[in-house]
Amino acid sequence: MNIEKDKVVTFHYHLTDTAGEVIDSSRESEPLTVLFGHGTIIPGLEAGMAGHKTGDRFDVSVAAADAYGERREDFTQRVPKKYFRDADHLKPGDSTVLGVQGGGHRPVTVIKVGSSVVDVDLNHPLAGKALMFNVEITDVRDASAEELEHGHVHGPGGHHH
Ligand code: ZN
């Protein structure tokens, strides 16, 4: 069965930057399971996986624009310390998360720490980086009608509800 929209795909990935530095890997834990074609993974990786099948192992190189986007130079914000869980321990260069409206979290990088505010860079930590994925497809199956309706995977590697 080949990977296409509305398939449930399980895969291992090993992610490095163009210098070979490891950014993330599923190899130490469970593979990732996604409902393919629903924007769960970055567009460049999705394009590189389409058409492959179980057992395939291949490299996908993704330009920054098709990964987490280009870096925006002036994408910074001054935020009151109370919005950080770990404000008293922050220093320039640290990565942390900022609570956002609606209850989500956004990864940010600390630029400067003042007495009551923190200047942060809102660019995604991987913005502006070309990414190299080594992918191994471990399973491809049809999505159930319920999974398609919910827009996510159920069972192992997915939602349990
Ligand atoms: Zn569901």
Side-chain angles (χ1 to χ4, degrees), residues 8-145:
V8 173
V9 180
T10 302
F11 64 102
H12 269 297
Y13 65 93
H14 186 75
L15 170 61
T16 59
D17 63 17
T18 48
E21 193 83 16
V22 178
I23 296 169
D24 193 13
S25 179
S26 68
R27 288 282 169 194
E28 306 296 310
S29 56
E30 295 298 307
L32 196 62
T33 299
V34 301
L35 180 59
F36 198 78
H38 289 254
T40 313
I41 55 179
I42 58 172
L45 178 58
E46 200 160 79
M49 287 170 65
H52 280 282
K53 59 186 189 309
T54 302
D56 284 359
R57 192 164 181 164
F58 51 93
D59 292 316
V60 180
S61 75
V62 180
D66 295 320
Y68 293 93
E70 301 292 352
R71 279 194 78 78
R72 291 160 56 187
E73 281 310 319
D74 54 354
F75 197 26
T76 63
Q77 195 175 329
R78 179 159 287 178
V79 183
K81 275 187 172 175
K82 65 178 178 185
Y83 291 106
F84 297 89
R85 284 179 300 194
D86 49 356
D88 291 337
H89 305 285
L90 294 176
K91 54 185 189 308
D94 282 354
S95 298
T96 185
V97 290
L98 186 59
V100 294
Q101 278 185 348
H105 289 93
R106 176 181 194 110
V108 298
T109 305
V110 175
I111 301 169
K112 200 172 104 184
V113 181
S115 55
S116 63
V117 295
V118 181
D119 289 349
V120 295
D121 183 340
L122 297 172
N123 283 291
H124 189 282
L126 295 177
K129 286 194 182 193
L131 304 177
M132 304 289 297
F133 289 89
N134 181 262
V135 177
E136 182 184 3
I137 308 298
T138 59
D139 189 54
V140 183
R141 66 168 170 86
D142 285 317
S144 69

Side-chain angles (χ1 to χ4, degrees), residues 150 152 154 161:
H150 290 199
H152 58 229
H154 292 162
H161 62 90

